[in-house]
Amino acid sequence: MSGGCTLVKPVVGAFTGPVIILGHCDGDFVCGCSSGEAALCIAAGLAVVGAAAGLVTGIVSDVQWACGVPGDPTDNWWDPFVTNTGDGLK
C-alpha cells in the first residue's frame, strides 16, 4: 500500500494551505490590529488548518488508491483540500 499521501500532504499542506486560503479570500482579511505577532498567529493557524486538511485528504487518497479507485495518487498533492484520486472525488 502507498502511504505517500498520508505522509507528505500534511507537510506540504502546512506551507501551501495558507497560500490557498488567502488566495480565495476577497482581500478584506483584517484582524483589527497591526502587530506582526497577529500576522504570525494567523499564518500559524492557517498552516495548522492546511496540515490537518492534508492529513485527512491524504488518508482518503491512500485508502482510495489501495481500494483500486483509478487515478494517480500523486495528482494534486500540493493542494491539502483535494483528494488525489478519482475524477468525481475532487
Side-chain angles (χ1 to χ4, degrees), residues 3-88:
C5 292
T6 302
L7 299 175
V8 173
K9 280 193 82 165
V11 175
V12 173
F15 294 101
T16 61
V19 175
I20 292 171
I21 292 169
L22 292 175
H24 288 92
C25 183
D26 64 358
D28 189 23
F29 194 73
V30 179
C31 65
C33 52
S34 61
S35 70
E37 292 175 352
L40 184 60
C41 287
I42 290 170
L46 294 177
V48 168
V49 169
L55 178 64
V56 170
T57 58
I59 291 170
V60 169
S61 297
D62 284 340
V63 169
Q64 290 171 346
W65 181 83
C67 292
V69 175
D72 184 5
T74 60
D75 188 28
N76 295 322
W77 60 268
W78 53 270
D79 190 343
F81 304 103
V82 178
T83 59
N84 295 343
T85 57
D87 293 335

